[in-house]
Amino acid sequence: MYRMAVLAMLSSDTNLDISKCVMMCLAHDLAEAHVGDIAPSENVPKEEKIRRESEAMHNFVHDMLHGSPAALRVLDLWKVQYF
């Protein structure tokens, strides 16, 4: 967990928006913190992985953070990877 965010933070690629990359990585990790890191070797269908992570993000954004503007920004960053 957080390795991807650290790697993004250390990137020297001037074409990247480093802050956005780090935030996207952390949003990705929030869902995994709830459902676990589902490895390809587990043969979980992509649709099921997305369903589980979507449910976790809904819980985080709406139940825990009550749909605050900051929580909705996190959700938008998470959605970039799938939608």
Coordinates of all heavy atoms in Angstrom, one line a residue:
M1 N 0.8 -1.2 0.0 CA 0.0 0.0 0.0 C 0.9 1.2 0.0 O 1.9 1.3 0.7 CB -0.9 0.0 1.2 CG -2.0 0.9 1.2 SD -3.1 0.6 2.6 CE -4.6 1.1 1.9
Y2 N 0.5 2.2 -0.7 CA 1.2 3.5 -0.9 C 2.4 3.5 -1.7 O 3.0 4.5 -1.9 CB 1.4 4.2 0.5 CG 0.2 4.3 1.3 CD1 0.2 3.6 2.6 CD2 -0.9 5.0 0.9 CE1 -1.0 3.7 3.4 CE2 -2.0 5.0 1.7 CZ -2.1 4.4 2.9 OH -3.2 4.4 3.7
R3 N 2.9 2.3 -2.1 CA 4.1 2.3 -3.0 C 3.9 3.0 -4.3 O 4.8 3.7 -4.7 CB 4.5 0.8 -3.2 CG 5.1 0.1 -2.0 CD 5.4 -1.3 -2.4 NE 4.2 -2.0 -2.6 CZ 4.0 -3.3 -2.3 NH1 5.0 -4.0 -1.8 NH2 2.9 -3.9 -2.6
M4 N 2.8 2.9 -4.9 CA 2.5 3.5 -6.1 C 2.5 5.0 -5.9 O 3.0 5.8 -6.8 CB 1.1 3.1 -6.7 CG 0.9 3.4 -8.1 SD -0.4 2.5 -8.9 CE -1.8 3.0 -7.9
A5 N 2.0 5.5 -4.8 CA 1.9 7.0 -4.6 C 3.4 7.5 -4.4 O 3.7 8.6 -4.8 CB 1.1 7.3 -3.3
V6 N 4.2 6.7 -3.7 CA 5.6 7.1 -3.4 C 6.3 7.2 -4.8 O 7.1 8.1 -5.0 CB 6.3 6.2 -2.4 CG1 7.8 6.5 -2.4 CG2 5.6 6.4 -1.1
L7 N 6.1 6.2 -5.6 CA 6.8 6.2 -6.9 C 6.3 7.4 -7.8 O 7.1 8.0 -8.4 CB 6.5 4.9 -7.7 CG 7.2 3.7 -7.1 CD1 6.7 2.4 -7.8 CD2 8.7 3.8 -7.2
A8 N 5.0 7.7 -7.7 CA 4.5 8.8 -8.5 C 5.2 10.1 -7.9 O 5.6 11.0 -8.7 CB 3.0 8.9 -8.4
M9 N 5.3 10.2 -6.6 CA 5.8 11.4 -6.0 C 7.3 11.6 -6.4 O 7.8 12.8 -6.5 CB 5.7 11.3 -4.5 CG 6.1 12.5 -3.7 SD 5.8 12.3 -1.9 CE 6.7 10.9 -1.5
L10 N 8.0 10.5 -6.6 CA 9.4 10.6 -6.9 C 9.7 10.7 -8.4 O 10.9 10.9 -8.8 CB 10.1 9.4 -6.4 CG 10.1 9.2 -4.9 CD1 10.7 7.9 -4.5 CD2 10.8 10.4 -4.2
S11 N 8.7 10.7 -9.2 CA 8.9 10.8 -10.7 C 9.5 12.2 -11.1 O 9.2 13.2 -10.5 CB 7.5 10.7 -11.4 OG 7.7 10.9 -12.8
S12 N 10.4 12.1 -12.0 CA 11.0 13.3 -12.6 C 10.5 13.7 -13.9 O 11.0 14.6 -14.6 CB 12.5 13.1 -12.6 OG 12.8 12.0 -13.5
D13 N 9.4 13.0 -14.3 CA 8.7 13.3 -15.6 C 8.0 14.7 -15.6 O 7.0 14.8 -14.9 CB 7.7 12.2 -16.0 CG 7.2 12.3 -17.4 OD1 7.2 13.4 -17.9 OD2 6.8 11.3 -17.9
T14 N 8.6 15.6 -16.3 CA 8.0 17.0 -16.3 C 6.7 17.1 -17.0 O 6.0 18.1 -16.9 CB 9.0 18.0 -16.9 OG1 9.3 17.6 -18.2 CG2 10.3 18.0 -16.0
N15 N 6.3 16.0 -17.8 CA 5.0 16.0 -18.5 C 3.8 15.6 -17.6 O 2.7 15.7 -18.0 CB 5.1 15.1 -19.7 CG 6.0 15.7 -20.7 OD1 6.1 16.8 -21.0 ND2 6.9 14.8 -21.2
L16 N 4.1 15.1 -16.4 CA 3.1 14.6 -15.5 C 2.7 15.7 -14.5 O 3.5 16.5 -14.0 CB 3.6 13.4 -14.7 CG 3.9 12.1 -15.4 CD1 4.4 11.1 -14.5 CD2 2.6 11.6 -16.1
D17 N 1.4 15.7 -14.1 CA 0.9 16.5 -13.0 C 1.2 15.6 -11.7 O 0.3 14.7 -11.4 CB -0.5 16.8 -13.2 CG -1.1 17.6 -12.0 OD1 -0.5 17.7 -10.9 OD2 -2.2 18.2 -12.2
I18 N 2.3 15.7 -11.1 CA 2.7 14.9 -10.0 C 1.7 14.8 -8.9 O 1.3 13.8 -8.4 CB 4.1 15.2 -9.5 CG1 5.2 15.2 -10.6 CG2 4.5 14.4 -8.2 CD1 5.4 13.8 -11.1
S19 N 1.2 16.0 -8.5 CA 0.2 16.1 -7.4 C -1.1 15.2 -7.8 O -1.6 14.5 -6.9 CB -0.2 17.5 -7.2 OG 0.9 18.2 -6.7
K20 N -1.6 15.4 -9.0 CA -2.7 14.6 -9.4 C -2.4 13.1 -9.4 O -3.3 12.3 -9.0 CB -3.2 15.1 -10.8 CG -4.5 14.4 -11.2 CD -5.1 14.9 -12.5 CE -6.4 14.2 -12.8 NZ -7.0 14.7 -14.0
C21 N -1.3 12.8 -9.9 CA -0.9 11.3 -9.9 C -0.9 10.7 -8.5 O -1.4 9.7 -8.3 CB 0.5 11.2 -10.6 SG 0.5 11.4 -12.4
V22 N -0.3 11.5 -7.6 CA -0.2 11.0 -6.2 C -1.6 10.9 -5.6 O -1.9 9.8 -5.0 CB 0.7 11.9 -5.3 CG1 0.5 11.6 -3.8 CG2 2.1 11.9 -5.8
M23 N -2.5 11.8 -5.9 CA -3.8 11.8 -5.4 C -4.6 10.6 -6.0 O -5.4 9.9 -5.3 CB -4.6 13.1 -5.6 CG -4.0 14.2 -4.7 SD -5.0 15.7 -4.8 CE -4.6 16.3 -6.5
M24 N -4.4 10.4 -7.3 CA -5.0 9.2 -7.9 C -4.6 7.9 -7.3 O -5.4 7.0 -7.1 CB -4.8 9.2 -9.4 CG -5.5 10.3 -10.2 SD -5.0 10.4 -11.9 CE -5.6 8.8 -12.5
C25 N -3.3 7.8 -7.0 CA -2.8 6.6 -6.4 C -3.4 6.4 -5.0 O -3.7 5.2 -4.7 CB -1.3 6.7 -6.3 SG -0.4 6.7 -7.9
L26 N -3.5 7.4 -4.2 CA -4.1 7.3 -2.9 C -5.5 7.0 -2.9 O -6.0 6.2 -2.1 CB -3.8 8.6 -2.1 CG -2.3 8.8 -1.8 CD1 -2.2 10.2 -1.2 CD2 -1.8 7.8 -0.9
A27 N -6.3 7.5 -3.9 CA -7.7 7.2 -4.1 C -7.8 5.7 -4.4 O -8.7 5.0 -3.9 CB -8.3 8.1 -5.1
H28 N -7.0 5.2 -5.3 CA -6.9 3.8 -5.6 C -6.7 2.9 -4.4 O -7.4 1.9 -4.2 CB -5.8 3.6 -6.7 CG -5.5 2.2 -6.9 ND1 -6.2 1.4 -7.8 CD2 -4.5 1.4 -6.4 CE1 -5.7 0.2 -7.8 NE2 -4.7 0.1 -7.0
D29 N -5.8 3.4 -3.5 CA -5.5 2.6 -2.3 C -6.6 2.6 -1.3 O -6.7 1.6 -0.5 CB -4.2 3.1 -1.7 CG -3.0 2.7 -2.4 OD1 -3.0 1.8 -3.2 OD2 -1.9 3.3 -2.2
L30 N -7.5 3.6 -1.3 CA -8.6 3.7 -0.4 C -9.5 2.5 -0.6 O -10.0 1.8 0.3 CB -9.4 5.0 -0.5 CG -8.7 6.2 0.2 CD1 -9.5 7.4 -0.2 CD2 -8.7 6.0 1.7
A31 N -9.8 2.2 -1.9 CA -10.7 1.1 -2.2 C -10.1 -0.2 -1.8 O -10.7 -1.1 -1.2 CB -11.1 1.1 -3.7
E32 N -8.8 -0.3 -2.1 CA -8.1 -1.6 -1.8 C -7.9 -1.8 -0.3 O -7.9 -2.9 0.2 CB -6.7 -1.6 -2.4 CG -6.7 -1.8 -3.9 CD -5.4 -2.0 -4.5 OE1 -4.4 -1.8 -3.8 OE2 -5.3 -2.4 -5.7
A33 N -7.9 -0.7 0.5 CA -7.8 -0.9 1.9 C -9.0 -1.6 2.5 O -9.0 -2.3 3.5 CB -7.7 0.5 2.6
H34 N -10.1 -1.4 1.8 CA -11.4 -2.1 2.2 C -11.5 -3.5 1.7 O -11.9 -4.4 2.4 CB -12.6 -1.2 1.8 CG -13.9 -1.7 2.3 ND1 -14.3 -1.6 3.7 CD2 -14.9 -2.4 1.7 CE1 -15.5 -2.1 3.8 NE2 -15.9 -2.6 2.7
V35 N -11.3 -3.7 0.4 CA -11.5 -5.0 -0.2 C -10.3 -5.8 -0.4 O -10.4 -7.0 -0.7 CB -12.2 -4.8 -1.6 CG1 -13.5 -4.1 -1.5 CG2 -11.3 -4.1 -2.6
G36 N -9.1 -5.2 -0.2 CA -7.9 -6.0 -0.4 C -7.4 -5.8 -1.8 O -8.1 -5.3 -2.7
D37 N -6.1 -6.0 -2.0 CA -5.5 -5.9 -3.3 C -5.8 -7.2 -4.0 O -5.3 -8.3 -3.7 CB -4.0 -5.7 -3.2 CG -3.3 -5.4 -4.5 OD1 -4.1 -5.2 -5.5 OD2 -2.1 -5.3 -4.5
I38 N -6.7 -7.2 -5.0 CA -7.2 -8.4 -5.7 C -6.2 -8.6 -6.9 O -6.1 -7.8 -7.8 CB -8.6 -8.2 -6.3 CG1 -9.5 -7.9 -5.1 CG2 -9.0 -9.4 -7.1 CD1 -10.9 -7.5 -5.5
A39 N -5.4 -9.7 -6.7 CA -4.4 -10.0 -7.7 C -5.0 -10.8 -8.9 O -5.9 -11.5 -8.7 CB -3.3 -10.8 -7.0
P40 N -4.4 -10.6 -10.1 CA -4.9 -11.4 -11.2 C -4.9 -12.9 -11.0 O -5.8 -13.6 -11.5 CB -3.9 -11.0 -12.3 CG -3.4 -9.7 -11.9 CD -3.3 -9.7 -10.4
S41 N -4.0 -13.4 -10.2 CA -3.9 -14.8 -9.9 C -5.2 -15.3 -9.1 O -5.4 -16.5 -9.1 CB -2.7 -15.2 -9.1 OG -2.7 -14.5 -7.9
E42 N -5.9 -14.4 -8.6 CA -7.1 -14.8 -7.8 C -8.3 -15.1 -8.8 O -9.4 -15.5 -8.3 CB -7.5 -13.7 -6.8 CG -6.5 -13.6 -5.7 CD -6.8 -12.5 -4.8 OE1 -8.0 -12.4 -4.3 OE2 -6.0 -11.6 -4.5
N43 N -8.2 -14.7 -10.1 CA -9.2 -15.0 -11.1 C -10.5 -14.4 -10.7 O -11.6 -14.9 -11.0 CB -9.3 -16.5 -11.4 CG -8.1 -17.0 -12.0 OD1 -7.5 -16.4 -12.9 ND2 -7.7 -18.2 -11.5
V44 N -10.5 -13.2 -10.1 CA -11.8 -12.4 -9.8 C -12.1 -11.7 -11.1 O -11.2 -10.9 -11.6 CB -11.6 -11.5 -8.6 CG1 -12.8 -10.6 -8.5 CG2 -11.3 -12.3 -7.4
P45 N -13.3 -11.8 -11.7 CA -13.6 -11.1 -12.9 C -13.5 -9.6 -12.7 O -13.8 -9.1 -11.6 CB -15.1 -11.5 -13.2 CG -15.2 -12.8 -12.5 CD -14.3 -12.7 -11.2
K46 N -13.1 -8.9 -13.7 CA -13.0 -7.4 -13.6 C -14.2 -6.7 -13.1 O -14.2 -5.8 -12.3 CB -12.6 -6.8 -15.0 CG -12.3 -5.4 -14.9 CD -11.8 -4.8 -16.2 CE -11.5 -3.3 -16.1 NZ -11.0 -2.8 -17.4
E47 N -15.4 -7.2 -13.6 CA -16.7 -6.6 -13.2 C -16.9 -6.8 -11.7 O -17.4 -5.9 -11.0 CB -17.8 -7.2 -14.0 CG -17.8 -7.0 -15.4 CD -16.8 -7.9 -16.2 OE1 -16.4 -9.0 -15.6 OE2 -16.4 -7.5 -17.3
E48 N -16.5 -7.9 -11.1 CA -16.7 -8.2 -9.7 C -15.7 -7.3 -8.9 O -16.1 -6.7 -7.9 CB -16.4 -9.6 -9.4 CG -16.5 -10.0 -7.9 CD -17.8 -9.6 -7.2 OE1 -18.8 -9.4 -7.9 OE2 -17.8 -9.6 -6.0
K49 N -14.5 -7.1 -9.4 CA -13.5 -6.3 -8.7 C -14.0 -4.8 -8.7 O -14.0 -4.2 -7.6 CB -12.2 -6.3 -9.4 CG -11.1 -5.4 -8.8 CD -9.8 -5.5 -9.5 CE -8.9 -4.5 -8.9 NZ -7.6 -4.3 -9.5
I50 N -14.5 -4.4 -9.8 CA -15.1 -3.0 -9.9 C -16.3 -2.9 -8.9 O -16.4 -1.9 -8.2 CB -15.4 -2.6 -11.3 CG1 -14.2 -2.6 -12.2 CG2 -16.2 -1.3 -11.4 CD1 -14.4 -2.4 -13.7
R51 N -17.1 -3.9 -8.9 CA -18.3 -3.8 -8.0 C -17.9 -3.7 -6.5 O -18.4 -2.9 -5.8 CB -19.2 -5.1 -8.2 CG -20.5 -5.0 -7.4 CD -21.1 -6.4 -7.2 NE -20.4 -7.3 -6.4 CZ -20.2 -7.2 -5.0 NH1 -20.8 -6.2 -4.4 NH2 -19.5 -8.1 -4.4
R52 N -16.9 -4.5 -6.1 CA -16.4 -4.5 -4.7 C -15.8 -3.1 -4.4 O -16.1 -2.6 -3.3 CB -15.4 -5.6 -4.5 CG -16.0 -7.0 -4.5 CD -14.8 -8.0 -4.3 NE -15.3 -9.3 -4.6 CZ -14.5 -10.4 -4.5 NH1 -13.2 -10.3 -4.1 NH2 -14.9 -11.6 -4.8
E53 N -15.0 -2.7 -5.3 CA -14.3 -1.4 -5.0 C -15.3 -0.2 -5.1 O -15.2 0.7 -4.3 CB -13.1 -1.2 -6.0 CG -12.0 -2.1 -5.7 CD -10.8 -1.9 -6.6 OE1 -10.8 -0.9 -7.4 OE2 -9.8 -2.7 -6.5
S54 N -16.3 -0.3 -6.0 CA -17.3 0.8 -6.0 C -18.1 0.8 -4.7 O -18.4 1.9 -4.2 CB -18.2 0.5 -7.2 OG -17.6 0.7 -8.4
E55 N -18.4 -0.3 -4.2 CA -19.1 -0.4 -3.0 C -18.3 0.2 -1.8 O -18.8 0.9 -1.0 CB -19.5 -1.8 -2.7 CG -20.4 -2.0 -1.5 CD -20.8 -3.5 -1.3 OE1 -21.5 -4.0 -2.1 OE2 -20.3 -4.1 -0.3
A56 N -17.0 -0.1 -1.8 CA -16.1 0.4 -0.8 C -16.0 1.9 -0.9 O -16.1 2.6 0.1 CB -14.7 -0.2 -0.9
M57 N -15.9 2.4 -2.1 CA -15.8 3.9 -2.3 C -17.1 4.6 -1.9 O -17.1 5.7 -1.4 CB -15.4 4.2 -3.7 CG -13.9 3.9 -4.0 SD -12.7 4.6 -2.9 CE -12.8 6.3 -3.4
H58 N -18.2 3.9 -2.2 CA -19.5 4.5 -1.9 C -19.6 4.7 -0.3 O -20.0 5.7 0.2 CB -20.7 3.7 -2.4 CG -22.0 4.3 -2.1 ND1 -22.7 4.1 -0.9 CD2 -22.8 5.2 -2.8 CE1 -23.8 4.8 -0.9 NE2 -23.9 5.4 -2.1
N59 N -19.2 3.6 0.3 CA -19.2 3.6 1.8 C -18.3 4.8 2.3 O -18.7 5.5 3.2 CB -18.7 2.3 2.3 CG -18.6 2.3 3.9 OD1 -19.6 2.6 4.5 ND2 -17.5 1.8 4.4
F60 N -17.1 4.9 1.8 CA -16.1 5.9 2.2 C -16.7 7.3 2.0 O -16.7 8.1 2.9 CB -14.8 5.7 1.5 CG -13.8 6.7 1.9 CD1 -13.1 6.7 3.1 CD2 -13.4 7.6 0.9 CE1 -12.2 7.7 3.4 CE2 -12.4 8.6 1.2 CZ -11.8 8.6 2.5
V61 N -17.1 7.5 0.7 CA -17.5 8.9 0.3 C -18.8 9.3 0.9 O -19.0 10.4 1.4 CB -17.6 8.9 -1.2 CG1 -18.2 10.2 -1.7 CG2 -16.2 8.8 -1.8
H62 N -19.8 8.4 0.9 CA -21.2 8.8 1.3 C -21.5 8.5 2.7 O -22.1 9.3 3.4 CB -22.2 8.2 0.3 CG -22.0 8.7 -1.1 ND1 -22.4 10.0 -1.5 CD2 -21.5 8.1 -2.2 CE1 -22.1 10.1 -2.7 NE2 -21.6 9.0 -3.2
D63 N -21.1 7.3 3.2 CA -21.5 7.0 4.6 C -20.5 7.6 5.6 O -21.0 8.1 6.6 CB -21.5 5.4 4.7 CG -22.5 4.8 3.9 OD1 -23.5 5.5 3.4 OD2 -22.4 3.6 3.6
M64 N -19.2 7.5 5.3 CA -18.2 8.1 6.3 C -18.0 9.6 6.2 O -17.9 10.3 7.2 CB -16.9 7.3 6.1 CG -17.0 5.9 6.5 SD -15.5 5.0 6.1 CE -14.3 5.7 7.2
L65 N -18.0 10.1 4.9 CA -17.7 11.5 4.7 C -18.9 12.3 4.3 O -18.8 13.5 3.9 CB -16.5 11.6 3.7 CG -15.2 11.0 4.2 CD1 -14.1 11.2 3.2 CD2 -14.7 11.7 5.5
H66 N -20.1 11.7 4.2 CA -21.3 12.3 4.0 C -21.4 13.1 2.7 O -22.0 14.2 2.6 CB -21.7 13.2 5.1 CG -21.7 12.5 6.5 ND1 -22.5 11.5 6.8 CD2 -20.8 12.6 7.5 CE1 -22.2 11.0 8.0 NE2 -21.2 11.6 8.4
G67 N -20.6 12.7 1.6 CA -20.7 13.3 0.3 C -20.1 14.7 0.3 O -20.5 15.5 -0.5
S68 N -19.2 15.0 1.2 CA -18.6 16.3 1.2 C -17.8 16.6 -0.1 O -17.5 15.7 -0.9 CB -17.6 16.4 2.4 OG -16.4 15.6 2.1
P69 N -17.6 17.9 -0.4 CA -16.9 18.2 -1.6 C -15.5 17.5 -1.8 O -15.2 17.0 -2.8 CB -16.8 19.7 -1.6 CG -17.9 20.2 -0.8 CD -18.1 19.1 0.3
A70 N -14.8 17.4 -0.7 CA -13.5 16.8 -0.7 C -13.7 15.3 -1.0 O -12.9 14.7 -1.8 CB -12.8 17.0 0.6
A71 N -14.7 14.6 -0.4 CA -14.9 13.2 -0.6 C -15.3 13.0 -2.1 O -14.9 12.0 -2.7 CB -16.0 12.7 0.3
L72 N -16.1 13.9 -2.7 CA -16.5 13.7 -4.1 C -15.3 13.9 -5.0 O -15.2 13.2 -6.0 CB -17.6 14.7 -4.4 CG -18.9 14.4 -3.7 CD1 -19.9 15.5 -4.0 CD2 -19.5 13.1 -4.0
R73 N -14.3 14.7 -4.6 CA -13.1 14.9 -5.4 C -12.3 13.6 -5.4 O -11.8 13.1 -6.4 CB -12.2 16.0 -4.9 CG -12.8 17.4 -5.3 CD -11.7 18.5 -5.1 NE -11.3 18.6 -3.7 CZ -11.8 19.3 -2.8 NH1 -12.9 20.0 -3.0 NH2 -11.3 19.3 -1.5
V74 N -12.2 12.9 -4.2 CA -11.6 11.6 -4.1 C -12.3 10.6 -5.0 O -11.6 9.9 -5.7 CB -11.5 11.2 -2.6 CG1 -11.0 9.7 -2.6 CG2 -10.6 12.1 -1.8
L75 N -13.6 10.6 -5.0 CA -14.3 9.7 -5.8 C -14.0 9.9 -7.3 O -13.8 9.0 -8.1 CB -15.8 9.8 -5.5 CG -16.7 8.8 -6.3 CD1 -16.4 7.4 -6.0 CD2 -18.2 9.1 -6.0
D76 N -14.0 11.2 -7.7 CA -13.7 11.5 -9.1 C -12.3 11.0 -9.5 O -12.1 10.5 -10.6 CB -13.8 13.0 -9.4 CG -15.3 13.5 -9.4 OD1 -16.2 12.6 -9.6 OD2 -15.5 14.7 -9.3
L77 N -11.4 11.1 -8.6 CA -10.0 10.7 -8.9 C -10.0 9.1 -9.0 O -9.3 8.6 -9.8 CB -9.0 11.1 -7.8 CG -8.7 12.6 -7.8 CD1 -8.1 13.0 -6.5 CD2 -7.8 12.9 -9.0
W78 N -10.7 8.5 -8.1 CA -10.8 7.0 -8.2 C -11.4 6.5 -9.5 O -11.0 5.6 -10.1 CB -11.5 6.5 -7.0 CG -11.7 5.0 -7.0 CD1 -10.8 4.0 -6.7 CD2 -12.9 4.3 -7.5 NE1 -11.3 2.8 -6.9 CE2 -12.6 2.9 -7.4 CE3 -14.1 4.7 -8.0 CZ2 -13.5 1.9 -7.8 CZ3 -15.0 3.7 -8.3 CH2 -14.7 2.4 -8.2
K79 N -12.5 7.2 -9.9 CA -13.2 6.8 -11.2 C -12.3 6.8 -12.4 O -12.6 6.1 -13.4 CB -14.4 7.7 -11.4 CG -15.5 7.4 -10.4 CD -16.7 8.3 -10.7 CE -17.9 8.0 -9.8 NZ -19.0 8.9 -10.1
V80 N -11.3 7.6 -12.4 CA -10.4 7.8 -13.6 C -9.9 6.4 -14.0 O -9.8 6.1 -15.2 CB -9.3 8.8 -13.3 CG1 -8.3 8.7 -14.4 CG2 -9.9 10.2 -13.2
Q81 N -9.6 5.5 -13.1 CA -9.0 4.2 -13.5 C -10.0 3.3 -14.1 O -9.6 2.4 -14.8 CB -8.4 3.6 -12.2 CG -9.4 3.1 -11.2 CD -8.7 2.5 -10.0 OE1 -7.8 1.7 -10.2 NE2 -9.2 2.8 -8.8
Y82 N -11.3 3.5 -13.9 CA -12.3 2.5 -14.5 C -13.2 3.1 -15.5 O -13.8 2.4 -16.3 CB -13.1 1.8 -13.4 CG -12.3 0.9 -12.5 CD1 -12.2 1.1 -11.1 CD2 -11.6 -0.1 -13.0 CE1 -11.5 0.3 -10.3 CE2 -10.8 -1.0 -12.2 CZ -10.8 -0.8 -10.9 OH -10.1 -1.6 -10.1
F83 N -13.6 4.4 -15.3 CA -14.7 4.9 -16.0 C -14.3 6.1 -16.9 O -13.3 6.7 -16.8 CB -15.8 5.4 -15.1 CG -16.2 4.3 -14.1 CD1 -15.9 4.3 -12.8 CD2 -17.0 3.2 -14.6 CE1 -16.3 3.3 -11.9 CE2 -17.4 2.2 -13.7 CZ -17.0 2.3 -12.4

